[in-house]
Amino acid sequence: MKYQDEYRDPVAAQNLLRAIHNTISQPWTIMEVCGGQTHSIVRYGIDQLLPPEIELVHGPGCPVCVTPLELIDKAVDIASRPDVTFCSFGDMLRVPGSRSDLLAVKANGGDVRIIYSPLDCLKIAARNPARTVVFFAVGFETTAPANAMALWQAKRRGLDNFAVLVSHVLVPPAMTAVLQSPNNRVQGFLGAGHVCSVMGCQEYRDLARQFHVPIVVTGFEPLDLLEGIYRCVRMLENHEIGVENQYARAVPTIGNPASQKLLQEVFEVTDRMWRGIGTIPRSGYRLSAMYADFDAEQRFSLARIDTSESSQCISGAILQGGKKPYDCPIFGTACTPASPQGATMVSSEGACAAYYNYRRRLSPSNAELSNRQVQQT
Ligand code: SF4
């Protein structure tokens, strides 16, 4: 398929693998930030093709995974109200809250709708003036501009029956939290290409300078990832800090200024709770004062919600690169995508779900054996 096959070419992949093998001289730990990258790495077995000196650890960049349980419970509470039409992207419907999920609300007669664009919510709100239409705005900087555009249009059209439950999180503060952790092992990053297509590379330059790490802004196809890893290894071996842009076909260095301007109008930066990790300072968006009337949390009086996570779940350590899914005692047994016990099993982009979908028949020792066999061929 055009625009896909050229990024999955096996000969080019072998050339990049050879370059990585020829460049490396010592062990390095590299984190891929985005859950989409984790998914591709595990799906295509990219980590199993690398020299044993390279350890890839999986980062916190899966927005569905890091949405706090408390917010899922708030979504369930709002969606259960008879005068509410609750709109969400499909991947949030199955995420379990403390007692229920949005799919169960829908099954019980709630008006819960899957939408493909936040602008669809405005059409629904305009057609149903007697109902309050609430959109669940989840995601990183990538999805925030479209959600901001829906709010911008709603304000100009006077759609007072539209509201948003905001759970936007930001990538650089999460990378900072990883680097500041006393247990940090990460020496270089593959940055999330789609996030940088909006925000540009400057924030990452500051991060690289502050923590003396290389960051390679990287795409999501196998050749993108192999080239990102190659560039990161080359920078590590040459003791270079800074930012390289592997994903230049989609990422201008300055990002998308029009989107950034819209984000600044609609949102303001705030502390955010990350599921499995905890509160990270200045790591998310809330609505700015100009758009506060659209805030679903303010519009509905929500009871205080206390939540608790499985005591066996180690997803916080996985999201920060400290552990792998195989280290979890209930991986693939008590915890599966059908009954997720923690953050990294709830979405297909979560590391535990990726290992479950593509590697669950391999025990850790078999996975290592398979790894060595691949490297010898
Ligand atoms: S397998 Fe489940 S319980 Fe274990 S770390 Fe992953 S999400 Fe948490």
Side-chain angles (χ1 to χ4, degrees):
M1 189 189 298
K2 187 156 172 57
Y3 303 123
Q4 209 166 50
D5 289 349
E6 53 265 59
Y7 302 108
R8 298 179 182 180
D9 176 52
V11 175
Q14 280 171 359
N15 288 339
L16 281 165
L17 277 168
R18 208 169 296 118
I20 294 169
H21 278 266
N22 291 340
T23 304
I24 200 151
S25 71
Q26 65 180 91
W28 297 111
T29 302
I30 298 171
M31 172 178 276
E32 83 278 357
V33 171
C34 175
Q37 293 169 330
T38 302
H39 185 267
S40 287
I41 285 166
V42 179
R43 178 180 179 192
Y44 293 105
I46 288 171
D47 52 337
Q48 296 177 321
L49 298 169
L50 297 172
E53 291 91 344
I54 300 178
E55 183 182 2
L56 293 182
V57 294
H58 316 308
C62 162
V64 177
C65 301
V66 299
T67 301
L69 211 49
E70 184 195 3
L71 219 66
I72 307 289
D73 287 347
K74 285 182 179 174
V76 167
D77 180 328
I78 294 170
S80 303
R81 298 175 188 228
D83 54 347
V84 166
T85 296
F86 195 89
C87 301
S88 169
F89 296 128
D91 51 2
M92 291 307 295
L93 261 64
R94 282 190 58 253
V95 180
S98 302
R99 286 169 293 280
S100 186
D101 58 44
L102 290 168
L103 205 56
V105 175
K106 187 175 173 64
N108 288 329
D111 188 0
V112 177
R113 304 189 192 185
I114 296 173
I115 47 96
Y116 296 95
S117 160
L119 296 177
D120 293 344
C121 303
L122 305 191
K123 288 184 201 147
I124 298 169
R127 282 188 205 129
N128 299 276
R131 299 185 66 75
T132 302
V133 176
V134 180
F135 174 58
F136 200 3
V138 172
F140 286 96
E141 295 93 322
T142 336
T143 49
N147 298 345
M149 176 54 77
L151 283 151
W152 187 89
Q153 288 198 11
K155 190 171 180 61
R156 271 135 198 95
R157 292 168 60 182
L159 286 170
D160 297 336
N161 63 328
F162 175 63
V164 175
L165 182 61
V166 180
S167 181
H168 276 302
V169 281
L170 305 171
V171 168
M175 291 168 70
T176 302
V178 167
L179 289 163
Q180 286 178 333
S181 162
N183 303 319
N184 174 46
R185 300 188 298 127
V186 177
Q187 295 161 297
F189 286 95
L190 306 184
H194 50 6
V195 168
C196 297
S197 69
V198 175
M199 304 306 286
C201 300
Q202 185 55 45
E203 295 173 289
Y204 297 86
R205 290 214 176 92
D206 299 342
L207 211 62
R209 252 196 308 271
Q210 185 183 352
F211 292 99
H212 304 282
V213 287
I215 300 172
V216 181
V217 175
T218 301
F220 303 86
E221 288 293 325
L223 291 189
D224 291 325
L225 290 157
L226 284 169
E227 190 186 343
I229 293 164
Y230 167 59
R231 288 193 186 200
C232 195
V233 168
R234 195 177 57 189
M235 291 175 82
L236 286 163
E237 292 281 343
N238 293 333
H239 307 288
E240 287 174 33
I241 59 168
V243 177
E244 287 195 8
N245 184 4
Q246 181 281 328
Y247 203 35
R249 69 181 185 278
V251 178
T253 307
I254 59 165
N256 183 327
S259 291
Q260 292 162 18
K261 188 163 171 246
L262 184 62
L263 291 176
Q264 274 172 14
E265 176 180 320
V266 174
F267 296 117
E268 59 189 32
V269 173
T270 186
D271 298 350
R272 275 266 169 217
M273 168 76 99
W274 293 56
R275 188 175 183 183
I277 297 177
T279 300
I280 301 178
R282 299 183 59 74
S283 67
Y285 285 139
R286 68 179 170 210
L287 294 176
S288 66
M290 209 194 307
Y291 287 82
D293 290 347
F294 292 95
D295 188 345
E297 289 195 70
Q298 301 298 329
R299 200 174 289 193
F300 298 93
S301 54
L302 299 169
R304 184 187 149 80
I305 295 171
D306 292 316
T307 56
S308 61
E309 297 277 2
S310 159
S311 58
Q312 290 176 293
C313 179
I314 57 166
S315 60
I318 293 171
L319 288 164
Q320 294 173 89
K323 293 202 186 287
K324 295 279 178 68
Y326 287 141
D327 297 325
C328 175
I330 56 172
F331 169 79
T333 53
C335 183
T336 67
S339 59
Q341 301 297 309
T344 41
M345 192 63 96
V346 297
S347 156
S348 63
E349 289 194 357
C352 293
Y355 276 61
Y356 184 87
N357 288 330
Y358 299 115
R359 301 224 171 128
R360 70 180 181 276
R361 288 189 187 83
L362 293 176
S363 69
S365 53
N366 280 345
E368 227 160 73
L369 184 64
S370 145
N371 191 9
R372 279 201 297 277
Q373 285 167 344
V374 170
Q375 283 160 12
Q376 282 161 10
T377 55

